[in-house]
């Protein structure tokens, strides 16, 4: 998921609107450079933003499943070592 970690998230406002109205997110140029999405490097389409977010969610879910699997393996190994230790007392 390093591909998404490289995209800078900033706060900004539209020039035509009040500076008090702030937004947050990546710049269209960064999304275009990172993913090649959209019609140009001046706009981020809602479908593209949603797609990038869903891809990130899927990557995090897969990572969490892998970590859960590894934790279960470590717990099983720890239980085995504790049992061996108790048997040697």
């Amino acid at each position: 998921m390093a591909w998404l970690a490289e995209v800078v998230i900033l706060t900004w406002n539209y020039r035509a609107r009040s500076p008090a109205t702030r937004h947050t997110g990546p710049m269209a140029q960064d999304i275009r450079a990172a993913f090649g999405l959209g019609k140009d490097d001046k706009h981020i389409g809602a479908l593209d933003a949603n797609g990038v977010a869903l891809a990130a969610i899927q990557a995090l879910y897969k990572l969490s499943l892998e970590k859960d699997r590894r934790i279960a393996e470590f717990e099983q190994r720890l239980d085995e070592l504790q049992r061996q230790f108790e048997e040697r007392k």
Side-chain angles (χ1 to χ4, degrees):
M1 187 155 50
W3 44 268
L4 191 58
E6 302 299 318
V7 176
V8 178
I9 305 297
L10 301 169
T11 60
W12 47 273
N13 64 289
Y14 290 108
R15 287 185 224 145
R17 299 211 178 130
S18 166
T21 304
R22 304 291 296 166
H23 303 278
T24 189
M27 298 294 104
Q29 295 87 345
D30 294 335
I31 292 292
R32 180 72 170 193
F35 307 109
L37 299 173
K39 65 179 183 174
D40 58 36
D41 68 350
K42 305 288 187 243
H43 305 88
I44 300 173
L47 290 175
D48 294 331
N50 292 344
V52 169
L54 289 172
I57 290 166
Q58 286 180 342
L60 285 171
Y61 178 68
K62 288 176 184 175
L63 182 62
S64 74
L65 291 177
E66 175 60 21
K67 289 190 181 289
D68 287 348
R69 185 191 64 75
R70 291 190 67 210
I71 289 169
E73 286 178 1
F74 288 135
E75 287 174 337
Q76 182 178 1
R77 180 67 177 140
L78 178 60
D79 289 345
E80 183 180 321
L81 290 171
Q82 286 174 330
R83 183 186 52 76
Q84 290 174 3
F85 179 76
E86 291 299 321
E87 288 175 355
R88 291 183 181 172
K89 278 182 158 184

